[in-house]
Amino acid sequence: KLLTLTALTAFSLQLCAAEQKVGIVNFSSCIVDSKLGKQEQNAFETMHKQLVSLIEDKNKQFQEASNNLEDKDYLDGLSKEAEDQLRAKKEQLGEELARDQQQYYQLMHQGQNKIMKTVFGGISQAAEQIASAKGYQLIINKEACFFSSPSIDVTNDIIKTMDQNFDAEESKQAEKTKN
């Protein structure tokens, strides 16, 4: 047992003694500053605006039906049948509005997850390229550390490589569209 413990300790010391090249990447900066992150954020924002517009329109219709049902003068001008139709319309709009709001929250959550997954993939690809080219043994997310020296921050290199990969993919897509 003592021999095994001694061997493990010696091996651990050798690993610690070997210089390990480590890099830190700021995930948030990659989302905000990379072309891939910006593209994903723009797509998310477009979807958000469309959904908000849909919900606002439905809410406007619902409020209009509600206001008409509260207006005695308006109701006096309606037949009993028309009033019943207005109440049914308000109820239907309320259900649709609730369903649309639930769908909005689900789609926003899915959109945020898509941004994270897509950018994470871009960072992983860029980190592998940089590690291979510059001899890094480890590149980790800054949020996983309590402290890291600014000298090991490779975020700008990651973003630059992500942008190069993004441009290359855009060129491929443009070439496919031409043919």
Side-chain angles (χ1 to χ4, degrees):
K1 289 183 181 181
L2 184 58
L3 183 58
T4 305
L5 182 59
T6 305
L8 285 174
T9 303
F11 181 70
S12 296
L13 289 173
Q14 285 177 341
L15 285 177
C16 291
E19 187 175 315
Q20 301 291 319
K21 194 167 181 183
V22 176
I24 297 290
V25 64
N26 186 323
F27 187 85
S28 299
S29 294
C30 291
I31 290 175
V32 173
D33 297 331
S34 71
K35 291 179 181 179
L36 179 62
K38 289 175 183 178
Q39 174 185 285
E40 291 300 314
Q41 288 180 71
N42 287 338
F44 179 82
E45 191 60 34
T46 298
M47 179 181 64
H48 176 260
K49 287 178 182 176
Q50 290 171 343
L51 292 170
V52 166
S53 176
L54 174 82
I55 290 172
E56 286 175 346
D57 183 50
K58 189 86 57 162
N59 191 45
K60 182 179 175 184
Q61 293 175 35
F62 178 79
Q63 289 301 321
E64 185 178 306
S66 293
N67 291 341
N68 287 341
L69 285 170
E70 292 173 8
D71 185 351
K72 292 280 187 194
D73 293 334
Y74 182 82
L75 290 176
D76 287 344
L78 293 178
S79 66
K80 177 69 174 150
E81 193 174 276
E83 184 178 336
D84 290 343
Q85 286 177 346
L86 183 59
R87 289 186 194 286
K89 180 180 178 183
K90 177 189 173 202
E91 185 176 324
Q92 178 186 359
L93 287 169
E95 290 170 3
E96 289 175 8
L97 186 57
R99 188 174 49 246
D100 289 350
Q101 287 172 337
Q102 181 64 31
Q103 185 179 22
Y104 166 81
Y105 291 120
Q106 289 173 348
L107 290 172
M108 290 295 99
H109 186 346
Q110 289 171 357
Q112 289 170 340
N113 285 341
K114 182 180 181 290
I115 290 172
M116 301 299 263
K117 183 178 178 183
T118 302
V119 174
F120 184 85
I123 292 171
S124 294
Q125 181 183 12
E128 287 176 20
Q129 291 170 303
I130 289 171
S132 176
K134 296 185 177 183
Y136 284 93
Q137 285 78 35
L138 180 67
I139 297 177
I140 60 175
N141 187 348
K142 184 176 183 176
E143 284 82 19
C145 301
F146 291 110
F147 170 79
S148 64
S149 172
S151 66
I152 64 171
D153 190 317
V154 295
T155 303
N156 291 334
D157 292 337
I158 294 285
I159 292 171
K160 181 180 174 186
T161 303
M162 286 176 70
D163 288 349
Q164 290 169 350
N165 293 344
F166 180 87
D167 291 340
E169 186 62 33
E170 289 284 304
S171 294
K172 273 192 224 176
Q173 294 300 325
E175 192 63 35
K176 282 183 184 180
T177 304
K178 283 183 183 179
N179 297 331

